[in-house]
């Protein structure tokens, strides 16, 4: 993971480098070891937009921004990639929806036991994924989508374990 100091420097650099008027607020910068993702907020669609038209309008606004800023974004990304030695990806948030234009897809190696491979093979057989690789990516997205709830449950369970331990005998005496 990137250090907070370095992330603050990257955030400051992008805030100073991006043209005024691109976004309604300072961009969100998300970093890991391989990539810097720049997420800017576009103006929301008008409140009176019919719900049936909203997704198409958001898609159109994002696409227009992508096309109109392409050359500048490429120029800024090249500068940032040289400076920070990380790839840059771009996206926008509009009407509460996130639209990514470019992202890295980084291979990750792992060792799985037979039971774990069977989970992936079941997802492939069911047509949820085309391959074990796609199935594993699907699993990671599912955990990420449900991470807040799941992690809160995990923290509650750990607190329960701490309470039970503290109520038990002191083994260090």
């Amino acid at each position: 993971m990137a250090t907070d100091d370095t992330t603050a420097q990257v955030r400051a650099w992008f805030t100073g480098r991006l043209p005024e008027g691109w976004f309604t607020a300072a961009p969100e910068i998300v970093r890991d070891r391989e990539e810097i993702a720049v997420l800017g907020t576009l103006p929301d669609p008008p409140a009176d937009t019919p719900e049936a038209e909203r997704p198409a309008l958001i898609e159109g606004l994002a696409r227009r921004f992508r096309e109109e800023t392409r050359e500048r974004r490429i120029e800024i990304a090249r500068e940032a990639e040289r400076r920070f030695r990380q790839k840059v990806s771009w996206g926008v948030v509009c009407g509460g929806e996130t639209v990514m234009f470019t992202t890295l897809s980084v291979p990750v190696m792992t060792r799985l036991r037979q039971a774990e491979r069977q989970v992936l093979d079941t997802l492939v057989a069911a047509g949820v994924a085309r391959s074990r690789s796609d199935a594993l990516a699907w699993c990671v997205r599912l955990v990420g989508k449900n991470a807040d709830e799941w992690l809160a449950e995990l923290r509650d369970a750990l607190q329960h374990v701490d309470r039970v331990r503290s109520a038990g005998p002191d083994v260090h005496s």
Side-chain angles (χ1 to χ4, degrees):
M1 290 299 286
T3 66
D4 289 341
D5 287 346
T6 307
T7 299
Q9 291 174 5
V10 170
R11 184 176 295 111
W13 186 86
F14 273 100
T15 299
R17 182 62 180 89
L18 293 175
E20 286 187 35
W22 269 17
F23 306 124
T24 60
E28 178 184 359
I29 305 296
V30 181
R31 289 184 71 214
D32 65 12
R33 291 183 294 191
E34 292 85 17
E35 179 177 24
I36 300 168
V38 180
L39 291 147
T41 302
L42 299 179
D44 285 339
D48 62 349
T49 302
E51 199 57 39
E53 296 175 16
R54 190 173 171 79
L57 180 57
I58 290 171
E59 180 184 344
L61 292 168
R63 186 173 294 237
R64 180 177 68 195
F65 176 84
R66 182 180 188 181
E67 295 304 320
E68 289 177 357
T69 62
R70 176 174 275 126
E71 287 182 32
R72 289 291 303 276
R73 285 186 299 106
I74 290 170
E75 175 187 321
I76 293 167
R78 285 184 178 145
E79 285 178 38
E81 287 168 4
R82 280 191 302 271
R83 182 180 179 100
F84 300 111
R85 295 190 175 125
Q86 288 182 279
K87 288 293 185 184
V88 174
S89 61
W90 297 89
V92 293
V93 178
C94 183
E97 299 292 321
T98 300
V99 179
M100 294 303 296
F101 305 149
T102 54
T103 57
L104 279 181
S105 183
V106 178
V108 177
M109 295 294 294
T110 187
R111 295 181 187 278
L112 300 175
R113 299 196 185 284
Q114 186 178 37
E116 296 158 336
R117 293 190 310 268
Q118 287 173 341
V119 169
L120 300 180
D121 291 342
T122 299
L123 293 171
V124 171
V128 172
R130 293 180 308 234
S131 65
R132 283 181 172 176
S133 177
D134 285 344
L136 187 55
W138 182 86
C139 291
V140 170
R141 284 191 302 275
L142 181 64
V143 170
K145 183 177 171 185
N146 297 305
D148 291 340
E149 180 182 329
W150 182 72
L151 289 173
E153 287 180 32
L154 201 57
R155 286 185 195 102
D156 289 345
L158 289 172
Q159 288 175 351
H160 179 72
V161 169
D162 287 342
R163 284 192 301 271
V164 171
R165 268 194 200 131
S166 64
D170 186 7
V171 294
H172 299 293
S173 298

